[in-house]
Amino acid sequence: MAQVFAQSPPATSRALVLGSTSRYRRELLQRLHIPFEVAAPQVDETPRPGEAPADLACRLALAKAQAIAYQFPGAVVIGSDQVADLAGEPLGKPGTHERATQQLRRMRGQTVIFQTAVAVVCAQTGFAQTELAPVKVKFRDLSNAEIEAYLQAEQPYDCAGSAKSEGLGIALLDAIESDDPTALVGLPLIRTCRMIRAAGVKVL
């Protein structure tokens, strides 16, 4: 069942739906003070053989938006996905402490590209756009003790790359390079605003 989130919004010409179960994306979208509904897309997120992380993120973002657009044909639907790209290898959500430990040990001292894709679809008008917002992240040369202390403190097992930059995870990093500041958290709001405006949603 869809959930509704509204904060004294301006008038919009089309309803807005976030096709995501991520609380991080929901919280980011709330910053825009536009009413929206949330619906969970049923999409297989398994990478295809040889699929590049950027291609995977774009494909899944569009698939999520399209899946929900069928349920809300007159609405503007947002789908998003993020894949951590370690030298061309996709790293997803760890799910467990053990996998998170392995991911962070592999990423220490490395530069990882967080491939964050957002797609906007309106089935009624045929509108469909996808944009990629890559974020370059340099990890510190972390010790095993630092990795363990971080994971015990924040337990970021639902985050691609096993780190929450908006929390204690920032202490794991040396640098972040991005032209869309919220992309690393999971939804690039600059690109999202541009696309939903084009699709018929009044942002301001």
Side-chain angles (χ1 to χ4, degrees):
M1 180 177 293
Q3 303 174 54
V4 179
F5 297 87
Q7 298 180 354
S8 302
T12 61
S13 55
R14 286 196 178 273
L16 185 65
V17 180
L18 176 64
S20 175
T21 58
S22 166
R23 63 184 177 91
Y24 308 110
R25 294 189 178 105
R26 185 188 71 211
E27 290 167 0
L28 286 171
L29 192 58
Q30 284 177 318
R31 294 185 186 183
L32 302 183
H33 293 265
I34 299 172
F36 66 94
E37 295 187 45
V38 172
Q42 303 300 316
V43 172
D44 182 1
E45 300 189 14
T46 305
R48 293 171 177 169
E51 188 172 30
D55 294 338
L56 173 61
C58 289
R59 176 173 65 82
L60 292 180
L62 183 59
K64 291 175 183 179
Q66 289 174 330
I68 299 303
Y70 287 118
Q71 302 175 38
F72 300 86
V76 172
V77 180
I78 301 169
S80 188
D81 194 79
Q82 184 180 77
V83 179
D85 180 348
L86 178 60
E89 178 185 347
L91 301 179
K93 300 172 185 176
T96 66
H97 183 87
E98 291 72 24
R99 291 189 61 191
T101 300
Q102 293 171 2
Q103 282 192 357
L104 288 176
R105 287 182 178 180
R106 292 187 61 197
M107 293 189 297
R108 58 186 168 192
Q110 303 295 316
T111 295
V112 180
I113 309 298
F114 284 78
Q115 306 285 6
T116 306
V118 60
V120 172
V121 172
C122 180
Q124 194 172 79
T125 65
F127 183 93
Q129 285 186 4
T130 305
E131 289 200 33
L132 187 67
V135 183
K136 185 180 294 187
V137 177
K138 177 69 167 63
F139 280 80
R140 293 174 45 242
D141 190 8
L142 303 163
S143 68
N144 289 346
E146 286 177 310
I147 291 171
E148 181 64 19
Y150 170 68
L151 293 178
Q152 291 292 344
E154 203 151 59
Q155 301 182 8
Y157 308 137
D158 61 345
C159 297
S162 306
K164 296 181 182 180
S165 63
E166 69 275 25
L168 181 59
I170 200 72
L172 306 179
L173 311 179
D174 267 337
I176 298 173
E177 295 180 25
S178 173
D179 64 357
D180 208 330
T182 60
L184 188 54
V185 183
L187 185 66
L189 285 179
I190 292 175
R191 286 166 172 80
T192 299
C193 285
R194 179 166 62 233
M195 295 166 73
I196 65 174
R197 280 196 300 263
V201 174
K202 186 177 180 180
V203 178
L204 290 172

